[in-house]
Amino acid sequence: MLKTKEKFTCDICGQQDNFEVINVEEQVDIKGISFESEHIYYRCVHCKEEYEPFDNFDINYYTDYKKYRELTGLLQSDEIKKIRESYGISQRTFAKLLSISHATLSNIENGSLQSPQHDILLRLASDPYSFYKNVFCTRKGLLSEGDIETLGTNLKRLIATSYGGHKKEMKEFKEIMSDRTNNLIRRVNHMEYEMKTIINIDSISNSRESGESRWKKEGSNILTRVYQSLTL
């Protein structure tokens, strides 16, 4: 069953009735990148004329922008908003620190597409330590005392949390590498033992040709296992 919206008057047929909500897959091209995107339309139940959603004319544009961001690796609007909110500052304050207009940041957070330059700037700002060192310490003179205190406190907390997380990850990484190293050493020792065994067998063999053949075959197998161990 199709979803319907409240009654509207159709501009084409003049009928006032509920409109059907339909989803249509359409081809979109943004800055040279083409992709399929699902759009929402309201359709008159009488003449079947389709309209952009009356209550949100920009919804299809923002849907396209979101998918474009996914395809090109740009930050999503909600991610950018989350970065700012983690610092506990307003859009106006964040924009001032990044030297972009308040209107630009507001539009980006609400779904408009950011430029690659702004995306790089926002990515740099997403790292608490980088933001503290390169932005807060050099531009805090632009802020009120209240903003300085709030932002400074939040940055210290986020940096400490980030450091703790990195420290834990490094510890886990070292443990994994230690296990792999020990495992590799055990394998190499075992292979050395196998090689010595082959040499001893060949040294007492009456057939030189047989010994050389066995050496080539077993030596090749051992080298293969060493390579596999190194690529684990």
Side-chain angles (χ1 to χ4, degrees):
M1 183 177 179
L2 288 172
K3 295 180 181 179
T4 59
K5 294 297 293 183
E6 60 187 80
K7 291 184 178 181
F8 293 98
T9 300
C10 178
D11 294 335
I12 303 301
C13 67
Q15 295 289 331
Q16 186 179 39
D17 207 335
N18 291 334
F19 276 63
E20 297 171 335
V21 179
I22 62 172
N23 298 89
V24 181
E25 285 285 340
E26 295 183 309
Q27 188 72 21
V28 177
D29 186 287
I30 298 179
K31 298 185 177 182
I33 296 180
S34 298
F35 53 90
E36 291 283 332
S37 186
E38 186 177 89
H39 293 160
I40 296 174
Y41 292 101
Y42 295 169
R43 184 169 63 190
C44 175
V45 296
H46 297 282
C47 68
K48 305 303 180 183
E49 180 68 17
E50 296 175 4
Y51 295 87
E52 296 282 352
F54 309 127
D55 45 0
N56 189 349
F57 286 105
D58 294 327
I59 187 171
N60 289 330
Y61 292 109
Y62 291 152
T63 298
D64 296 342
Y65 291 159
K66 183 175 182 179
K67 192 158 188 178
Y68 175 82
R69 287 187 178 97
E70 291 175 356
L71 294 172
T72 57
L74 295 176
L75 287 170
Q76 296 290 349
S77 293
D78 56 346
E79 292 176 321
I80 295 168
K81 184 177 181 180
K82 188 176 179 180
I83 292 168
R84 175 181 61 79
E85 290 180 340
S86 71
Y87 295 145
I89 53 179
S90 66
Q91 284 183 347
R92 192 174 298 278
T93 299
F94 196 39
K96 187 185 296 183
L97 287 169
L98 297 178
S99 296
I100 61 178
S101 72
H102 174 221
T104 296
L105 180 61
S106 178
N107 289 337
I108 291 172
E109 285 194 7
N110 285 293
S112 293
L113 194 62
Q114 71 268 34
S115 68
Q117 292 78 12
H118 284 153
D119 192 74
I120 292 172
L121 186 62
L122 290 162
R123 282 187 182 279
L124 291 173
S126 68
D127 179 70
Y129 180 73
S130 174
F131 190 73
Y132 173 80
K133 182 179 179 181
N134 299 310
V135 179
F136 180 73
C137 289
T138 59
R139 299 179 63 81
K140 63 182 178 181
L142 300 173
L143 307 180
S144 66
E145 291 184 4
D147 282 338
I148 291 174
E149 183 178 354
T150 299
L151 182 54
T153 300
N154 287 330
L155 281 171
K156 289 177 182 178
R157 173 180 55 80
L158 291 168
I159 290 170
T161 302
S162 176
Y163 174 75
H166 290 320
K167 191 174 181 180
K168 182 180 178 181
E169 289 174 0
M170 284 303 299
K171 182 180 179 182
E172 292 174 351
F173 176 75
K174 287 180 179 179
E175 289 175 352
I176 291 172
M177 292 307 297
S178 177
D179 290 341
R180 286 197 171 190
T181 300
N182 291 334
N183 186 41
L184 181 58
I185 290 172
R186 285 194 296 270
R187 291 189 180 208
V188 170
N189 288 337
H190 180 69
M191 290 172 188
E192 286 181 350
Y193 173 78
E194 287 185 342
M195 292 176 72
K196 289 178 181 178
T197 302
I198 293 170
I199 292 172
N200 290 334
I201 291 174
D202 288 342
S203 65
I204 61 175
S205 174
N206 293 326
S207 172
R208 183 172 180 274
E209 182 179 351
S210 174
E212 288 180 352
S213 176
R214 178 178 172 78
W215 169 255
K216 289 179 181 179
K217 180 180 178 181
E218 295 298 334
S220 176
N221 291 337
I222 290 171
L223 289 174
T224 299
R225 292 202 296 276
V226 169
Y227 174 76
Q228 290 173 343
S229 298
L230 291 172
T231 55
L232 285 177

